[in-house]
Amino acid sequence: MTALLDLLDLSPDAIRQLVSLARELEGRKDLTHLKDQVVGLLFMNPSLRTLVSMQTAVAHLGGTSVVIQPGQGSWKLELRDGVVMDGDAVEHIREAMPVLAQYVDLLGVRCFAEGKNLADDLADQPIRAMAEHFGGPFVNLESAASHPCQALADWKTLDDLGIPAIGKFVLSWAYHPKPLPFAVPQSALTMALLRGMEVTVLRPPGFDLPGGVISQAVAAAAKGGGTFHETADRSDALEGAHVLYAKSWAKPDVYGDPEADRIAREPYRDWTVDESWFAPARPEAKFMHCLPVRRNIKVTDAVLDGPRSIVVPQAGNRLHAQKAILAALSEGGLR
Amino acid sequence: MTALLDLLDLSPDAIRQLVSLARELEGRKDLTHLKDQVVGLLFMNPSLRTLVSMQTAVAHLGGTSVVIQPGQGSWKLELRDGVVMDGDAVEHIREAMPVLAQYVDLLGVRCFAEGKNLADDLADQPIRAMAEHFGGPFVNLESAASHPCQALADWKTLDDLGIPAIGKFVLSWAYHPKPLPFAVPQSALTMALLRGMEVTVLRPPGFDLPGGVISQAVAAAAKGGGTFHETADRSDALEGAHVLYAKSWAKPDVYGDPEADRIAREPYRDWTVDESWFAPARPEAKFMHCLPVRRNIKVTDAVLDGPRSIVVPQAGNRLHAQKAILAALSEGGLR
Amino acid sequence: MTALLDLLDLSPDAIRQLVSLARELEGRKDLTHLKDQVVGLLFMNPSLRTLVSMQTAVAHLGGTSVVIQPGQGSWKLELRDGVVMDGDAVEHIREAMPVLAQYVDLLGVRCFAEGKNLADDLADQPIRAMAEHFGGPFVNLESAASHPCQALADWKTLDDLGIPAIGKFVLSWAYHPKPLPFAVPQSALTMALLRGMEVTVLRPPGFDLPGGVISQAVAAAAKGGGTFHETADRSDALEGAHVLYAKSWAKPDVYGDPEADRIAREPYRDWTVDESWFAPARPEAKFMHCLPVRRNIKVTDAVLDGPRSIVVPQAGNRLHAQKAILAALSEGGLR
């Protein structure tokens, strides 16, 4: 495989080998996997962790990064086939991708959900089309439906802390002022199920995961041996939990209607993770989040600044995970 | 010559040597021409190809790039002499250029036409002033009136495909929703004439090339041996053509008046290149465009995705051409 | 010391050693102090000199730079503790800084004054908090109240020109269309006093330096042996001056009220430095400015383009000064 689009494309064994490679490369800054190579990093959306950790990963592997930001210094890109391009986008990915393939040896792309049509966003067509038109080694840096670099970093974080493969992983919805996409919740769920964990999805009534995410979860569970169920009962969800992974997501049945979503989420403004959530959990239960996180909206200062929070080392593992991904891709691809 | 501002500044022989150097460096990623050197890349306008291919070229030559984007992270620059700077621009090129000359070993600048006064834009004063105030090795990355990197890449593309030096080159106007500057049409015309080609400029009535562009074409023809004429007759223009190079440009006599230009170009909305245009051409005739291109506005999907289109390798040659330019400048300049 | 926040944190001897190191590294492009190291450069505000000279400095020292621009490609950062993050900023420096500390070996940050509350801006809390949360080697690239890289470059510039340590240094207010912060005037004043100079601050009535700046000046004078006084009398101020350093700043007693400041500065629109200002000065007196400078607003073309102006070599010293700072920080810190 020359393109990493979703963690589910890999077998649990292949993921374990990537985690092992990540551990091997961790702290090594004088590697040569990308010697004389140029890595393009195309960001259609903002970034802090990915922007910096990818450039650092490339530097540690001996390569050079080139950052491309359409709409901010670079032309806006058209993603849809067959359109008459009379709008804002002046360049089509059908030209941009093969052109970039002549300049860079590997391409990473961030392309968030459009947030209009749920089925379209879950189908993740734009990132798949970009990978296909590019043709060479390609990494998804968070698309409409998937964030495999984050998922691999999360897996390593769980391993680093000795959280058992069959441990209890709670993916919880939390309040956020805007409807957010499914890339991170779906990737965290996929990761935990591929790892073989007992997963509980905690969310308010009506915020059930959509069918497309459930289908992927079923596939991940089948491949990795994990189990999952959804609930709105916080105590039940957190009973005996090893990890609480917080993330917000849009209400599926009003997807694309921010005002309806706002009204629907209003009653759940108090879904801000605080210490009380952990009462039924294991005493040493950890708090995870992909960052950035709005303090005192999604989670309190006390939790983030307290001993349960592992968000900083979790983000640190982005660097190590991506070094492994880049190294594997540079050596002929992922299995 | 330490500054490459326009292809016409070079002799046809010097250009042929640059193309030959480009071919020699093509595919070489471990060069040392720019070892320990820093190349500044100043973009006053958006870019994809130039942004990435210049950084890749610098990396392949062993150097480091620094990207500068006035108005987007960097101060807006004043280009005019003698003004009272009480507007948006907080820094004058009279300071910015000599300051940059102390930091970087070579500077590339993109500075598009202002689009207000045709004579001013064709005089290309800002890029000339920047090169002069900078003082060191300098490359025009597309100015108001010239795009020499594109022109050199185009020349190499014609050579790569075995298009004869005396072949027929059609530069055609195509519809675009906005009035565009003369940098690319003038550079393509100059390039083809310096290469010795038989050039036909195809455009709607009223979109005749302005006097300043004609003067430069006359000079290029004299230097390179090519010939050119303008016509509004599509069949006549394309009769026996080896290459159709599409580009839009503003209506010269209403330059600076976008609304008048819009009205004038409205009747020519159907100037979208499609397969029918090629009927009188040679069977193997090629389609060229500098990109980005608005699909189904300037040219149809069918042409772009079909065998006539060479826009992708044409863009690929940007990298090779620029490596040659940078290598030559680093070795003491162009002849 | 692993963080350089203000020149006053260093002893005059330590500064002299840094200047000496800067001179030693000047012109050297093949250094290895930052081999295999990644330097993060976080710009919350625009930059030309710092953006380019820092990246060049890092390249000359053998390292790799990563530029981060919150709000322009990267998430907006929250600087205040304890807030409910329901606004524009989606990421807190309490996460961002420790996360970056896992990716980069050294961090430089530009974070201008908010311009609302003078005491808050002079306290310079945000940059101090960022340095603390980052934890590792850190350089202030201009904060609300300090610009140590500029100050060190200024010191070296004075040395380069043989301006005596006990020479007369005039820091003069000049007209500018907007109220500007105290970072540069305070740093220039601190620098000159640490260097032991006789400093006169020239400004219109009402534009007296605020108490916080005076306190720092007193401390710098005590440490470095310089003296200073303020005046509104131009001839008196420039009498026998070696250097005129121009800078604008806000009216302290209406700080945070741009309209009141505009009205107050209106009578001083003619405070544009021109040749006549130098009449009482030494014949060879020099003009300094940190750049960018609005021509014919703060200073005339004639002065900037004439022999008194040393603004270009002054900016050139930014590169050399920063190479010394980075080299010192990479070798275990500043004394």
Side-chain angles (χ1 to χ4, degrees):
Chain A
M1 187 182 323
T2 59
L4 178 59
L5 297 177
D6 192 290
L7 210 60
L8 187 60
D9 299 338
L10 300 173
S11 67
D13 270 356
I15 298 170
R16 280 184 207 104
Q17 284 179 24
L18 271 180
V19 170
S20 164
L21 179 59
R23 191 159 290 127
E24 192 184 316
L25 303 183
E26 192 172 338
R28 296 283 305 278
K29 301 179 176 185
D30 56 352
L31 302 163
T32 56
H33 300 73
L34 295 177
K35 187 174 179 305
D36 297 330
Q37 306 278 294
V38 176
V39 175
L41 299 171
L42 175 64
F43 286 92
M44 304 180 81
N45 315 93
S47 173
L48 176 68
R49 269 151 295 285
T50 306
L51 178 74
V52 182
S53 62
M54 281 300 294
Q55 290 184 76
T56 297
V58 170
H60 287 183
L61 294 165
T64 299
S65 297
V66 174
V67 174
I68 307 150
Q69 298 177 311
Q72 289 193 312
S74 198
W75 308 105
K76 279 199 190 169
L77 294 178
E78 176 63 60
L79 303 167
R80 297 161 301 168
D81 277 346
V83 295
V84 175
M85 288 175 58
D86 55 3
D88 277 354
V90 301
E91 173 136 38
H92 201 285
I93 56 169
R94 280 181 170 268
E95 275 73 52
M97 291 297 124
V99 165
L100 287 176
Q102 299 176 109
Y103 301 154
V104 303
D105 300 289
L106 192 151
L107 185 67
V109 174
R110 165 160 289 193
C111 178
F112 284 0
E114 206 185 356
K116 292 185 183 164
N117 179 294
L118 180 56
D120 283 356
D121 281 345
L122 292 180
D124 227 3
Q125 182 54 25
I127 195 90
R128 293 182 184 281
M130 283 190 269
E132 192 189 325
H133 291 306
F134 181 74
F138 187 100
V139 189
N140 179 353
L141 303 178
E142 189 174 345
S143 62
S146 185
H147 197 350
C149 293
Q150 182 67 53
L152 185 64
D154 293 346
W155 182 308
K156 179 170 181 299
T157 305
L158 294 169
D159 282 9
D160 288 352
L161 290 166
I163 311 273
I166 54 161
K168 184 166 180 188
F169 183 94
V170 179
L171 172 65
S172 178
W173 189 92
Y175 181 77
H176 187 280
K178 290 179 191 165
L180 296 187
F182 287 92
V184 169
Q186 171 156 278
S187 291
L189 181 58
T190 301
M191 177 278 300
L193 292 168
L194 284 171
R195 195 168 175 267
M197 301 185 83
E198 179 193 340
V199 182
T200 302
V201 179
L202 171 66
R203 77 290 175 276
F207 284 81
D208 316 45
L209 292 173
V213 175
I214 299 292
S215 305
Q216 165 138 347
V218 168
K223 232 171 149 175
T227 62
F228 76 100
H229 81 284
E230 294 190 72
T231 178
D233 182 333
R234 194 174 296 164
S235 320
D236 177 52
L238 280 146
E239 182 67 37
H242 289 80
V243 170
L244 168 57
Y245 195 114
K247 191 76 192 78
S248 197
W249 57 82
K251 188 157 185 285
D253 62 357
V254 296
Y255 198 86
D257 181 344
E259 179 56 16
D261 190 288
R262 192 190 62 74
I263 292 167
R265 70 177 48 215
E266 197 54 36
Y268 308 110
R269 266 191 172 273
D270 62 346
W271 280 58
T272 302
V273 176
D274 69 14
E275 182 56 30
S276 74
W277 287 42
F278 291 91
R282 286 169 172 266
E284 75 282 11
K286 298 302 182 193
F287 174 80
M288 295 180 80
H289 190 282
C290 63
L291 302 181
V293 67
R294 286 174 179 268
R295 284 177 165 250
N296 302 313
I297 295 277
K298 257 193 193 165
V299 54
T300 61
D301 280 345
V303 169
L304 274 173
D305 297 330
R308 295 196 185 283
S309 174
I310 54 170
V311 299
V312 170
Q314 184 186 355
N317 273 321
R318 291 290 306 280
L319 171 60
H320 316 314
Q322 290 156 195
K323 278 163 78 170
I325 293 168
L326 292 169
L329 286 173
S330 78
E331 282 170 351
L334 301 158
R335 266 154 315 165
Chain B
M1 188 183 322
T2 59
L4 178 59
L5 296 177
D6 193 289
L7 210 58
L8 188 59
D9 299 338
L10 299 174
S11 68
D13 270 355
I15 298 170
R16 280 185 206 104
Q17 284 178 24
L18 270 179
V19 170
S20 165
L21 179 58
R23 192 159 288 129
E24 191 185 318
L25 303 183
E26 191 172 338
R28 295 283 306 278
K29 302 181 176 182
D30 56 351
L31 302 163
T32 56
H33 300 73
L34 295 176
K35 188 172 178 308
D36 297 328
Q37 307 279 294
V38 176
V39 175
L41 300 171
L42 175 65
F43 287 92
M44 305 180 82
N45 314 93
S47 173
L48 175 69
R49 268 150 297 283
T50 307
L51 178 74
V52 181
S53 62
M54 281 301 294
Q55 291 184 74
T56 297
V58 171
H60 286 182
L61 293 165
T64 298
S65 297
V66 174
V67 174
I68 307 151
Q69 297 176 312
Q72 288 194 310
S74 199
W75 308 107
K76 278 198 191 170
L77 293 177
E78 177 62 61
L79 302 168
R80 298 162 300 167
D81 276 348
V83 295
V84 175
M85 289 175 57
D86 55 2
D88 277 355
V90 302
E91 173 136 38
H92 201 284
I93 57 168
R94 279 179 172 268
E95 276 73 54
M97 291 297 123
V99 165
L100 287 176
Q102 299 174 108
Y103 300 155
V104 303
D105 301 288
L106 192 151
L107 185 67
V109 174
R110 164 160 289 192
C111 178
F112 284 179
E114 208 185 356
K116 292 185 183 163
N117 180 293
L118 180 56
D120 284 354
D121 282 346
L122 292 181
D124 228 2
Q125 183 53 25
I127 195 91
R128 294 182 183 282
M130 284 191 268
E132 192 190 324
H133 292 306
F134 181 74
F138 186 100
V139 189
N140 179 354
L141 304 178
E142 189 175 344
S143 62
S146 184
H147 197 351
C149 293
Q150 183 67 54
L152 186 63
D154 292 347
W155 183 308
K156 179 171 181 297
T157 306
L158 295 170
D159 282 9
D160 289 351
L161 289 166
I163 311 271
I166 54 161
K168 184 166 179 189
F169 182 95
V170 180
L171 171 65
S172 178
W173 188 92
Y175 181 77
H176 187 281
K178 290 178 190 167
L180 296 187
F182 287 92
V184 170
Q186 171 156 277
S187 291
L189 182 57
T190 301
M191 176 278 299
L193 292 167
L194 284 170
R195 195 167 175 269
M197 302 184 83
E198 178 193 341
V199 182
T200 301
V201 179
L202 170 65
R203 77 290 176 274
F207 286 81
D208 315 46
L209 292 173
V213 175
I214 299 292
S215 305
Q216 164 139 348
V218 168
K223 231 170 149 173
T227 63
F228 76 100
H229 79 285
E230 293 189 74
T231 178
D233 181 333
R234 194 175 297 164
S235 318
D236 177 51
L238 280 146
E239 182 67 38
H242 289 82
V243 170
L244 169 57
Y245 194 115
K247 192 75 192 79
S248 198
W249 57 83
K251 188 157 184 287
D253 63 356
V254 296
Y255 199 86
D257 182 345
E259 180 56 15
D261 190 288
R262 192 189 63 73
I263 293 167
R265 68 177 51 217
E266 198 55 35
Y268 308 110
R269 267 194 171 270
D270 63 346
W271 280 58
T272 302
V273 176
D274 68 14
E275 182 57 29
S276 74
W277 288 42
F278 292 91
R282 286 170 172 265
E284 75 282 11
K286 298 302 183 194
F287 175 79
M288 295 181 79
H289 190 281
C290 64
L291 303 182
V293 67
R294 289 175 178 266
R295 285 178 164 248
N296 302 312
I297 295 279
K298 259 196 193 163
V299 53
T300 60
D301 280 346
V303 169
L304 274 172
D305 297 330
R308 295 196 185 284
S309 174
I310 55 171
V311 299
V312 170
Q314 184 185 355
N317 273 321
R318 292 290 305 280
L319 171 60
H320 315 313
Q322 290 157 194
K323 278 164 76 170
I325 293 168
L326 293 169
L329 286 173
S330 78
E331 283 170 353
L334 301 158
R335 269 154 312 163
Chain C
M1 188 183 320
T2 58
L4 177 59
L5 296 178
D6 192 289
L7 210 60
L8 188 58
D9 300 338
L10 300 174
S11 68
D13 270 356
I15 298 169
R16 280 185 207 105
Q17 284 178 25
L18 271 179
V19 169
S20 165
L21 179 58
R23 191 159 291 127
E24 191 184 317
L25 303 183
E26 191 173 338
R28 297 282 307 278
K29 302 180 175 183
D30 57 352
L31 302 163
T32 56
H33 299 73
L34 295 177
K35 187 174 179 307
D36 297 330
Q37 306 279 294
V38 176
V39 175
L41 300 171
L42 176 65
F43 288 92
M44 304 181 83
N45 315 93
S47 172
L48 175 69
R49 269 149 296 284
T50 307
L51 178 74
V52 181
S53 63
M54 282 301 294
Q55 289 184 75
T56 297
V58 170
H60 287 182
L61 294 165
T64 298
S65 297
V66 174
V67 174
I68 308 151
Q69 297 176 310
Q72 289 195 310
S74 198
W75 308 106
K76 278 200 191 168
L77 293 177
E78 176 62 60
L79 302 167
R80 298 163 298 169
D81 277 346
V83 295
V84 175
M85 289 175 57
D86 55 3
D88 276 356
V90 302
E91 173 136 38
H92 201 285
I93 55 168
R94 280 180 171 268
E95 275 74 53
M97 290 297 123
V99 165
L100 286 176
Q102 299 175 108
Y103 301 154
V104 302
D105 301 288
L106 192 151
L107 185 67
V109 174
R110 165 160 288 195
C111 178
F112 284 0
E114 206 185 357
K116 292 185 182 163
N117 180 294
L118 179 57
D120 284 355
D121 281 346
L122 292 180
D124 227 4
Q125 182 54 25
I127 195 90
R128 294 182 183 282
M130 283 190 269
E132 191 190 326
H133 291 307
F134 181 75
F138 186 100
V139 189
N140 178 353
L141 303 179
E142 190 176 342
S143 62
S146 185
H147 196 351
C149 293
Q150 182 67 52
L152 186 63
D154 292 347
W155 182 308
K156 179 170 182 297
T157 306
L158 295 169
D159 282 9
D160 288 351
L161 289 166
I163 311 272
I166 53 161
K168 184 165 178 187
F169 182 95
V170 180
L171 172 65
S172 178
W173 188 92
Y175 180 78
H176 188 280
K178 291 179 190 166
L180 296 187
F182 287 92
V184 169
Q186 170 156 278
S187 291
L189 181 58
T190 301
M191 177 278 299
L193 292 167
L194 284 170
R195 195 168 176 270
M197 301 185 82
E198 178 193 341
V199 182
T200 302
V201 178
L202 170 64
R203 77 294 174 272
F207 285 80
D208 316 45
L209 292 174
V213 175
I214 299 292
S215 306
Q216 164 138 349
V218 168
K223 232 171 150 172
T227 63
F228 75 101
H229 81 284
E230 294 188 74
T231 178
D233 181 333
R234 195 175 296 165
S235 318
D236 177 52
L238 280 146
E239 182 66 38
H242 290 80
V243 170
L244 167 57
Y245 194 115
K247 191 74 191 84
S248 198
W249 56 83
K251 188 157 185 285
D253 64 355
V254 296
Y255 198 86
D257 182 345
E259 180 56 14
D261 190 289
R262 191 188 62 76
I263 292 167
R265 68 178 51 215
E266 197 55 34
Y268 308 111
R269 267 193 171 271
D270 63 347
W271 281 57
T272 302
V273 177
D274 68 14
E275 181 56 29
S276 73
W277 288 42
F278 291 91
R282 287 168 170 267
E284 75 283 10
K286 298 302 182 192
F287 174 79
M288 295 180 79
H289 190 282
C290 63
L291 303 183
V293 68
R294 287 175 178 266
R295 283 178 165 248
N296 303 312
I297 295 277
K298 259 195 193 163
V299 54
T300 60
D301 280 346
V303 169
L304 273 173
D305 297 330
R308 296 196 185 284
S309 174
I310 54 171
V311 300
V312 170
Q314 184 186 356
N317 273 321
R318 292 290 305 279
L319 171 59
H320 315 313
Q322 290 156 194
K323 277 163 78 169
I325 293 168
L326 292 169
L329 286 173
S330 78
E331 282 170 351
L334 301 159
R335 267 153 314 161

